[in-house]
Amino acid sequence: MATPTRNRNTTNDSGADKPNKFANAGAAAGGFVGGIGGSFAPPINITLNRTTNSDGGSGGGMQGGRPHAEALLPAPEFTSPAQVRQYCNTLRAAAVALSIEVAMGSEILKGVLAAVPDPQGRAFGSRIRAQKVARKMQRSADALRDAAMNAAACYSAFQQEFEEEINRVRHRARRPQVPQMNWTQQ
């Protein structure tokens, strides 16, 4: 319930108690959200972008705040299996993220273009034209998803094809066996 507060208006010296309408607004909102929290889960997307300018502001940095393609992937130096794995995992993660972004962009583009009136006045004419345009962007999202799958398959194929070389070095990289405590002998 709202709690009464003293009216502090200097023109009205009656000193009457007035209910404070906004005193428990937070509690009311919390009760509302808590009441529907079990059945309603809104989609929330959080994107954090951190850009640093390492060239000292000489004008050769990023244009428009977007990183270049070189910033998305590590350098293609494949001198160890770990670098192959890192490159493939980074490529897969970037392709998955871009695929999701492009698919959302496709849906947004379709919605925006569907709102444009059709020049011939045809029913659903704008929706059909918007679908034709957005289909191309959706195919781009599908291609990015396929690129992510192929990046994962690339590392898998690397492991299969070079299993002998990997295992030859792997046994040397193992830690020596540490004697374990045998609790059954007492």
Side-chain angles (χ1 to χ4, degrees):
M1 254 356 240
T3 57
T5 59
R6 298 288 293 172
N7 186 2
R8 301 200 187 264
N9 190 354
T10 57
T11 60
N12 184 3
D13 292 335
S14 66
D17 287 338
K18 291 176 64 178
N20 187 351
K21 294 186 237 180
F22 303 108
N24 292 326
F32 174 72
V33 171
I36 64 170
S39 62
F40 178 71
I44 296 175
N45 294 326
I46 298 173
T47 304
L48 300 175
N49 294 326
R50 179 178 174 212
T51 58
T52 57
N53 193 356
S54 60
D55 63 354
S58 64
M62 294 183 289
Q63 300 292 326
R66 290 285 196 175
H68 293 288
E70 300 90 34
L72 292 176
L73 296 174
E77 297 172 356
F78 304 116
T79 58
S80 70
Q83 286 181 331
V84 174
R85 183 183 68 241
Q86 179 195 11
Y87 192 85
C88 290
N89 282 343
T90 307
L91 174 60
R92 181 194 52 77
V96 166
L98 287 173
S99 171
I100 293 168
E101 288 290 324
V102 172
M104 287 190 330
S106 170
E107 291 298 317
I108 293 169
L109 178 66
K110 184 170 40 173
V112 168
L113 293 179
V116 175
D118 187 56
Q120 283 88 26
R122 294 176 295 173
F124 305 109
S126 292
R127 286 187 185 180
I128 294 169
R129 294 185 316 153
Q131 179 63 33
K132 286 180 183 179
V133 174
R135 185 179 303 133
K136 300 296 182 184
M137 193 177 290
Q138 184 60 44
R139 285 185 181 170
S140 296
D142 294 342
L144 284 166
R145 190 187 68 233
D146 292 342
M149 288 189 299
N150 285 327
C154 175
Y155 183 68
S156 176
F158 168 73
Q159 282 184 315
Q160 289 175 358
E161 294 296 327
F162 294 92
E163 180 180 13
E164 183 179 328
E165 289 86 353
I166 292 170
N167 287 336
R168 194 178 318 142
V169 177
R170 183 177 286 166
H171 77 278
R172 283 187 264 152
R174 288 185 187 155
R175 295 182 195 157
Q177 284 271 337
V178 177
Q180 294 185 2
M181 179 76 63
N182 187 355
W183 293 101
T184 59
Q185 293 178 345
Q186 291 188 14

